[in-house]
Amino acid sequence: MRIIEAKDYADMSRKAANVISAQVILEPRSVLGLATGSTPIGAYKQLIDWYNKGDIDFSQTKSVNLDEYIGLDGSNDQSYRYFMNTNFFDGINIKKENTFVPNGKAPDMEAECKRYDELIKSLGGIDLQLLGIGHDGHIGFNEPGAAFEKTTHIVELEEATIKANARFFGSEEKVPKKAITMGIKSIMQAKKLLLIANGPDKKDIVEKALHGPVTPMVPASILQFHPNLTVVYCFN
Ligand code: F6R
């Protein structure tokens, strides 16, 4: 495990973007595993900036995202597909058809989980998976108690998550109650992992995840067992 302490959010974002850009420069055909949330936005902005300066080329790169709400399609501004398009893909030269996010509107969600696992396999697996971490230690939508051996699956959102997300949707009723997420097993199968965390409120959970006992009650604690984990954090 490599742990890099950043000075502030901008520094964390630049360092994370450096790791991602090194991956793409060294292996232009890389498959990047990507995350949504507030933490990676700065890294995505930095990569867009380097792309505009001519430093990185994403034309051969592919991406797979961790998760999506069930019931939202990509045109919904709360969907993770929309987030990825607006915060990253629209700013770089990755081919849209090479960017994959689970389909939250698939008619058969169980079949969609299988399709997503097959898709990742057919791409040759994930070269570098970017991860944020929730206050309860969740990664993707794998909440405490999630089985370590799961691949892509459907989850019921925790009451607390629905409440926390109500601000984005206008009311609790409008928040999707389910999501589709890569499982812990899918995440652990990535060749390299890059975990990023920002803010004083993430300090306790990151310490628990990296140095505490490995337990499904702290899903991110399993990352201690990954042979190629880089962590970049800033707790200021
Ligand atoms: C989103 C995801 C989530 C977030 C986590 C942290 O694709 O996988 O696990 O990484 O909820 O979110 P932020 O970055 O908003 O603190």
Side-chain angles (χ1 to χ4, degrees):
M1 188 192 315
R2 290 179 211 95
I3 299 183
I4 302 169
E5 197 174 343
K7 290 193 291 260
D8 50 27
Y9 179 69
D11 188 38
M12 184 212 76
S13 300
R14 244 183 349 260
K15 285 181 160 71
N18 262 306
V19 175
I20 298 167
S21 87
Q23 175 70 39
V24 172
I25 290 168
L26 294 173
E27 282 179 53
R29 293 173 179 277
S30 288
V31 176
L32 299 177
L34 298 175
T36 59
S38 53
T39 317
I41 290 178
Y44 293 149
K45 274 207 179 99
Q46 180 65 77
L47 289 166
I48 291 170
D49 187 41
W50 287 334
Y51 162 71
N52 284 327
K53 289 184 172 137
D55 292 339
I56 327 176
D57 173 18
F58 292 93
S59 62
Q60 299 183 75
T61 308
K62 295 182 177 158
S63 71
V64 286
N65 260 77
L66 283 168
D67 43 16
E68 179 60 284
Y69 287 115
I70 291 180
L72 302 191
D73 68 31
S75 63
N76 186 306
D77 64 5
Q78 291 306 321
S79 72
Y80 287 173
R81 159 57 75 183
Y82 188 93
F83 175 100
M84 290 310 299
N85 287 349
T86 50
N87 285 291
F88 193 30
F89 301 147
D90 289 345
I92 57 171
N93 67 334
I94 196 165
K95 296 189 180 100
K96 274 285 166 61
E97 64 269 27
N98 287 338
T99 66
F100 303 96
V101 179
N103 179 4
K105 286 285 264 187
D108 177 345
M109 286 312 297
E110 288 298 337
E112 174 61 10
C113 292
K114 277 211 183 93
R115 184 193 73 84
Y116 208 66
D117 287 336
E118 286 304 317
L119 168 80
I120 295 170
K121 222 186 264 168
S122 74
L123 297 175
I126 298 167
D127 293 299
L128 174 66
Q129 175 68 55
L130 176 65
L131 296 169
I133 180 171
H135 292 105
D136 57 1
H138 72 238
I139 44 178
F141 266 116
N142 297 282
E143 296 286 354
F148 284 156
E149 72 273 13
K150 282 204 175 154
T151 54
T152 305
H153 62 288
I154 294 159
V155 289
E156 308 262 345
L157 299 199
E158 302 274 320
E159 205 48 48
T161 310
I162 295 172
K163 282 208 166 74
N165 289 354
R167 66 189 194 279
F168 301 119
F169 289 87
S171 73
E172 261 179 54
E173 294 68 56
K174 288 192 186 142
V175 182
K177 306 291 177 283
K178 289 182 182 184
I180 173 170
T181 184
M182 273 189 214
I184 305 271
K185 184 173 174 188
S186 332
I187 293 169
M188 289 296 282
Q189 281 171 341
K191 292 171 196 122
K192 296 175 203 159
L193 298 180
L194 172 59
L195 175 71
I196 55 175
N198 174 61
D201 52 314
K202 292 280 171 83
K203 189 168 191 265
D204 284 354
I205 192 63
V206 170
E207 275 166 10
K208 258 193 209 159
L210 302 184
H211 307 297
V214 174
T215 160
M217 296 320 290
V218 181
S221 63
I222 190 73
L223 304 180
Q224 293 178 35
F225 289 155
H226 196 280
N228 195 326
L229 168 67
T230 302
V231 185
V232 186
Y233 62 62
C234 161
F235 299 140
N236 297 330

Tab-separated table of all heavy atoms in Angstrom, residues 35-40 66-67 80 131-134 138-141 202, ligand 1:
chain	number	residue	atom	x	y	z
A	35	ALA	N	-15.288	6.675	-10.718
A	35	ALA	CA	-16.248	6.891	-9.629
A	35	ALA	C	-16.901	8.259	-9.786
A	35	ALA	O	-16.341	9.154	-10.421
A	35	ALA	CB	-15.511	6.828	-8.290
A	36	THR	N	-18.066	8.413	-9.187
A	36	THR	CA	-18.719	9.726	-9.131
A	36	THR	C	-18.529	10.286	-7.709
A	36	THR	O	-17.673	9.807	-6.979
A	36	THR	CB	-20.217	9.611	-9.486
A	36	THR	OG1	-20.820	8.708	-8.556
A	36	THR	CG2	-20.403	9.093	-10.897
A	37	GLY	N	-19.317	11.280	-7.337
A	37	GLY	CA	-19.186	11.877	-5.998
A	37	GLY	C	-18.397	13.172	-6.076
A	37	GLY	O	-17.871	13.535	-7.129
A	38	SER	N	-18.299	13.848	-4.929
A	38	SER	CA	-17.633	15.153	-4.937
A	38	SER	C	-16.113	15.017	-4.966
A	38	SER	O	-15.425	15.882	-5.525
A	38	SER	CB	-18.070	15.972	-3.724
A	38	SER	OG	-17.869	15.202	-2.561
A	39	THR	N	-15.564	13.947	-4.401
A	39	THR	CA	-14.101	13.841	-4.273
A	39	THR	C	-13.356	13.849	-5.611
A	39	THR	O	-12.360	14.557	-5.743
A	39	THR	CB	-13.724	12.599	-3.433
A	39	THR	OG1	-14.602	12.532	-2.305
A	39	THR	CG2	-12.287	12.667	-2.946
A	40	PRO	N	-13.780	13.079	-6.635
A	40	PRO	CA	-12.966	13.032	-7.861
A	40	PRO	C	-13.126	14.225	-8.802
A	40	PRO	O	-12.388	14.314	-9.798
A	40	PRO	CB	-13.433	11.744	-8.561
A	40	PRO	CG	-14.739	11.392	-7.967
A	40	PRO	CD	-14.890	12.121	-6.680
A	66	LEU	N	-18.440	2.600	-11.556
A	66	LEU	CA	-18.780	1.708	-10.453
A	66	LEU	C	-20.268	1.435	-10.308
A	66	LEU	O	-20.667	0.322	-9.973
A	66	LEU	CB	-18.343	2.359	-9.134
A	66	LEU	CG	-16.878	2.331	-8.753
A	66	LEU	CD1	-16.641	3.276	-7.584
A	66	LEU	CD2	-16.474	0.915	-8.370
A	67	ASP	N	-21.098	2.477	-10.528
A	67	ASP	CA	-22.483	2.314	-10.082
A	67	ASP	C	-23.433	3.276	-10.793
A	67	ASP	O	-23.008	4.211	-11.488
A	67	ASP	CB	-22.579	2.484	-8.557
A	67	ASP	CG	-21.739	3.657	-8.022
A	67	ASP	OD1	-21.320	4.515	-8.810
A	67	ASP	OD2	-21.528	3.712	-6.807
A	80	TYR	N	-25.660	8.970	-12.738
A	80	TYR	CA	-24.194	8.959	-12.726
A	80	TYR	C	-23.644	9.052	-14.153
A	80	TYR	O	-22.543	9.543	-14.365
A	80	TYR	CB	-23.683	7.719	-11.993
A	80	TYR	CG	-23.884	7.807	-10.487
A	80	TYR	CD1	-23.625	6.720	-9.663
A	80	TYR	CD2	-24.313	8.983	-9.881
A	80	TYR	CE1	-23.792	6.804	-8.282
A	80	TYR	CE2	-24.486	9.082	-8.507
A	80	TYR	CZ	-24.227	7.976	-7.704
A	80	TYR	OH	-24.381	8.074	-6.350
A	131	LEU	N	-11.437	5.130	-6.652
A	131	LEU	CA	-12.470	4.942	-5.627
A	131	LEU	C	-12.548	6.138	-4.688
A	131	LEU	O	-11.505	6.666	-4.278
A	131	LEU	CB	-12.126	3.728	-4.743
A	131	LEU	CG	-12.087	2.350	-5.362
A	131	LEU	CD1	-11.458	1.371	-4.372
A	131	LEU	CD2	-13.500	1.895	-5.740
A	132	GLY	N	-13.767	6.514	-4.329
A	132	GLY	CA	-13.960	7.405	-3.190
A	132	GLY	C	-14.376	6.520	-2.023
A	132	GLY	O	-14.483	5.296	-2.166
A	133	ILE	N	-14.615	7.117	-0.874
A	133	ILE	CA	-15.041	6.317	0.289
A	133	ILE	C	-16.140	7.072	1.032
A	133	ILE	O	-16.046	8.301	1.205
A	133	ILE	CB	-13.829	6.003	1.213
A	133	ILE	CG1	-14.260	5.175	2.435
A	133	ILE	CG2	-13.075	7.258	1.650
A	133	ILE	CD1	-13.095	4.645	3.271
A	134	GLY	N	-17.184	6.359	1.438
A	134	GLY	CA	-18.267	6.986	2.199
A	134	GLY	C	-17.900	7.059	3.678
A	134	GLY	O	-16.967	6.392	4.136
A	138	HIS	N	-18.248	2.799	2.876
A	138	HIS	CA	-18.718	2.178	1.629
A	138	HIS	C	-17.819	2.532	0.447
A	138	HIS	O	-17.198	3.593	0.409
A	138	HIS	CB	-20.206	2.486	1.357
A	138	HIS	CG	-20.512	3.889	0.947
A	138	HIS	ND1	-21.381	4.696	1.644
A	138	HIS	CD2	-20.094	4.645	-0.109
A	138	HIS	CE1	-21.461	5.867	1.031
A	138	HIS	NE2	-20.691	5.863	-0.032
A	139	ILE	N	-17.755	1.593	-0.490
A	139	ILE	CA	-17.084	1.837	-1.775
A	139	ILE	C	-18.066	1.403	-2.856
A	139	ILE	O	-18.717	0.365	-2.711
A	139	ILE	CB	-15.705	1.111	-1.902
A	139	ILE	CG1	-15.767	-0.334	-1.387
A	139	ILE	CG2	-14.615	1.886	-1.198
A	139	ILE	CD1	-14.473	-1.109	-1.538
A	140	GLY	N	-18.176	2.188	-3.932
A	140	GLY	CA	-19.315	1.989	-4.823
A	140	GLY	C	-20.553	2.152	-3.950
A	140	GLY	O	-20.594	3.009	-3.057
A	141	PHE	N	-21.566	1.305	-4.155
A	141	PHE	CA	-22.738	1.306	-3.264
A	141	PHE	C	-22.678	0.105	-2.325
A	141	PHE	O	-23.709	-0.381	-1.875
A	141	PHE	CB	-24.033	1.278	-4.079
A	141	PHE	CG	-24.629	2.638	-4.341
A	141	PHE	CD1	-24.743	3.132	-5.624
A	141	PHE	CD2	-25.097	3.419	-3.296
A	141	PHE	CE1	-25.304	4.373	-5.885
A	141	PHE	CE2	-25.663	4.669	-3.532
A	141	PHE	CZ	-25.760	5.144	-4.832
A	202	LYS	N	-13.458	12.704	6.798
A	202	LYS	CA	-13.131	11.373	6.258
A	202	LYS	C	-11.963	10.714	7.014
A	202	LYS	O	-11.641	9.552	6.773
A	202	LYS	CB	-12.765	11.481	4.765
A	202	LYS	CG	-13.917	11.865	3.832
A	202	LYS	CD	-14.803	10.675	3.504
A	202	LYS	CE	-16.069	11.042	2.757
A	202	LYS	NZ	-15.892	11.197	1.324
B	1	F6R	C1	-19.726	6.900	-6.358
B	1	F6R	C2	-19.219	6.003	-5.324
B	1	F6R	C3	-19.333	6.326	-3.876
B	1	F6R	C4	-18.541	7.563	-3.475
B	1	F6R	C5	-18.623	7.818	-1.976
B	1	F6R	C6	-17.888	9.098	-1.582
B	1	F6R	O1	-19.517	6.363	-7.649
B	1	F6R	O2	-18.714	4.992	-5.679
B	1	F6R	O3	-18.901	5.212	-3.137
B	1	F6R	O4	-17.197	7.399	-3.854
B	1	F6R	O5	-19.953	7.919	-1.593
B	1	F6R	O6	-18.565	10.185	-2.114
B	1	F6R	P1	-17.981	11.669	-2.052
B	1	F6R	O7	-16.794	11.695	-2.943
B	1	F6R	O8	-19.090	12.535	-2.563
B	1	F6R	O9	-17.622	11.919	-0.623
